[in-house]
Structure formats: structure tokens, C-alpha cells
Amino acid sequence: MVVRALLLRAVIMGPPGSGKGTVSSRIVKHFALKHLSSGDLLRDNMNKRSEIGILAKSYIDQGRLIPDGVMTQLMLSELKNIDQYHVLLDGFPRTVPQAEALDKVYPVDTVIDLDVPFETIRERLTARWIHPASGRVYNLDFNPPKVPGTDDITGEPLVQRDDDKPETVMKRLKSYEAETKPVLEYYRQKGVLESFSGTETNKIWPHVHSFLQTRLPEVNQKEAATHT
């Protein structure tokens, strides 16, 4: 008798600028699973003007947080469509009520927590400057302009987006910490939290990869090429 392997329900968590997007894309490239991002799903529903998308947009337009019940309904309805696959959830759950609601229907097996020091993230994000007219992006660490503060091609001044200013970055990081600390503790108590600490995505990734190799089938290289 062939016993069907249990499907993995994984969640990836990490503050803005932690490299979560990069790690998620590598996971999808290397392993046979579906990546479900709450942000992507939300935007898709708002663009389609679905019933739940219109509801979610009404909260965003008022500058209010989308209630737990609305986000949970959105994610669970989408999970029903892919419940025959291994799944990686991204951006959900963000609160303990969301985590509890998810566990009642789809118990989570593994939570991948990217534990990157806030100071590293602050340095990473605040090093980004842009040339507004062209959209050219410079990074003071990896891709600095030839003349500090000016665009290489036009010589026009570079600006820093409000989102990349040090005070804004720290505010976002502290908000993330306050919001997600209870969620991480919830999963820690359940024994499913796996934290990966480091300051560079390329050094964190091999540890995440090795861990997932014990839990998931890898796609072969030919298939992987189609996922890039």
C-alpha cells in the first residue's frame, strides 16, 4: 500500500528588508511547493474588484488595518484551491487570531523565521538613493554613484524615498516587531518555529535550504530552470 506523504504547510516570516522575498523565490525555485503571498493576493483581489477586494480596499483607503477576519477569509479561500500541494505562506498570519484561525483548518508544520538584526536592515535600506526622473537606483554600499549625491548620467541630485529614510525604516521595524512577536511566540510554544540568524541573505539561504531538504522534495534542475 502506498502511503501519500503528508503535505507541508510552511510560513515564512521576517521584517521588511530581511531578504524574505529573495529567500521565498529561492525556496519556490528549488522545492515543489506553492508560494502564497498575502500582499500579492490582496492586490489581485483589489484589481479584480472582487467582493473581498472591495472590502479590503475600503479599509486601506481609510488608513485602517484590514481586520483579522477579512484577511483570514481571503487566505483560507485561496488555500482551498491549492490544498493538494505543499504550501509556503508569506505575509500571513500576522496576528495570533489569524494564526489560531489558520491552525483550525490548515495546521502549520514549520515557520521559517529570518532573524536579521535591525541595525543591518537599517543600514541596508537607508543606503538606497534614487534618481527620480529615470528611476535609477543607487546603493551606497554595492552600487554607489561616481559623484556622491548625483546621478551618473545626468548629474542631477539623487533623493531618498520617504520609506528609506532612517526614521521611517526604524518605525516600520519596530511596528513589525510589536505585531509579530506574539505570533513568533505562539509558534515557538507549538514547537514549529525555526529561526535562521545572520546578516547576509546568501549566508542564511544555505541553512534554510538544508533544513527544507529534510522536509520537501526538490524539483530537478530541468524543472528548476523553468521556475527562474
Side-chain angles (χ1 to χ4, degrees), residues 106-200:
Y106 298 101
V108 169
D109 310 295
T110 294
V111 177
I112 296 164
D113 171 41
L114 303 181
D115 181 19
V116 179
F118 280 3
E119 184 58 27
T120 299
I121 294 172
R122 187 186 69 77
E123 289 172 2
R124 188 182 290 171
L125 295 183
T126 58
R128 190 163 51 189
W129 290 74
I130 63 166
H131 176 241
S134 67
R136 277 186 287 278
V137 178
Y138 296 87
N139 186 293
L140 301 186
D141 296 325
F142 311 118
N143 176 37
K146 290 169 186 168
V147 178
T150 60
D151 178 52
D152 287 352
I153 294 172
T154 65
E156 292 169 352
L158 301 177
V159 301
Q160 194 168 41
R161 294 187 324 158
D162 285 342
D163 276 0
D164 294 336
K165 289 179 178 171
E167 60 275 19
T168 310
V169 168
M170 288 312 293
K171 190 176 175 185
R172 283 166 66 206
L173 291 173
K174 284 175 181 172
S175 172
Y176 170 84
E177 184 178 46
E179 183 181 59
T180 58
K181 206 170 187 177
V183 181
L184 291 171
E185 189 53 38
Y186 170 84
Y187 285 126
R188 184 177 286 112
Q189 289 179 4
K190 285 188 165 286
V192 297
L193 184 67
E194 295 286 338
S195 286
F196 298 89
S197 302
T199 58
E200 295 175 45

Side-chain angles (χ1 to χ4, degrees), residues 20-225:
K20 183 164 65 78
T22 301
V23 172
S24 295
S25 65
R26 289 181 185 179
I27 290 173
V28 171
K29 178 183 172 183
H30 286 272
F31 298 97
L33 49 61
K34 296 286 185 184
H35 177 223
L36 185 55
S37 160
S38 61
D40 291 349
L41 188 58
L42 203 51
R43 282 186 288 274
D44 187 45
N45 273 266
M46 287 193 290
N47 290 338
K48 286 179 180 172
R49 296 187 62 78
S50 70
E51 187 178 339
I52 202 161
I54 291 168
L55 181 61
K57 189 174 187 302
S58 71
Y59 285 100
I60 292 170
D61 288 346
Q62 295 169 49
R64 294 162 64 192
L65 288 174
I66 299 171
D68 286 333
V70 175
M71 281 308 302
T72 301
Q73 183 187 342
L74 177 72
M75 295 298 284
L76 292 185
S77 62
E78 186 65 21
L79 273 167
K80 279 181 191 169
N81 299 330
I82 55 173
D83 65 0
Q84 70 274 38
Y85 300 100
H86 300 291
V87 173
L88 177 69
L89 293 175
D90 182 352
F92 179 89
R94 282 188 183 273
T95 66
V96 172
Q98 288 178 5
E100 290 171 339
L102 176 64
D103 267 343
K104 283 177 186 168
V105 188
Y106 298 101
V108 169
D109 310 295
T110 294
V111 177
I112 296 164
D113 171 41
L114 303 181
D115 181 19
V116 179
F118 280 3
E119 184 58 27
T120 299
I121 294 172
R122 187 186 69 77
E123 289 172 2
R124 188 182 290 171
L125 295 183
T126 58
R128 190 163 51 189
W129 290 74
I130 63 166
H131 176 241
S134 67
R136 277 186 287 278
V137 178
Y138 296 87
N139 186 293
L140 301 186
D141 296 325
F142 311 118
N143 176 37
K146 290 169 186 168
V147 178
T150 60
D151 178 52
D152 287 352
I153 294 172
T154 65
E156 292 169 352
L158 301 177
V159 301
Q160 194 168 41
R161 294 187 324 158
D162 285 342
D163 276 0
D164 294 336
K165 289 179 178 171
E167 60 275 19
T168 310
V169 168
M170 288 312 293
K171 190 176 175 185
R172 283 166 66 206
L173 291 173
K174 284 175 181 172
S175 172
Y176 170 84
E177 184 178 46
E179 183 181 59
T180 58
K181 206 170 187 177
V183 181
L184 291 171
E185 189 53 38
Y186 170 84
Y187 285 126
R188 184 177 286 112
Q189 289 179 4
K190 285 188 165 286
V192 297
L193 184 67
E194 295 286 338
S195 286
F196 298 89
S197 302
T199 58
E200 295 175 45
T201 301
N202 285 340
K203 290 184 178 175
I204 292 175
W205 164 246
H207 299 286
V208 174
H209 183 247
S210 297
F211 169 70
L212 286 175
Q213 280 179 314
T214 67
R215 313 294 302 273
L216 280 169
E218 283 202 81
V219 295
N220 64 42
Q221 289 309 301
K222 192 173 180 181
E223 284 182 43

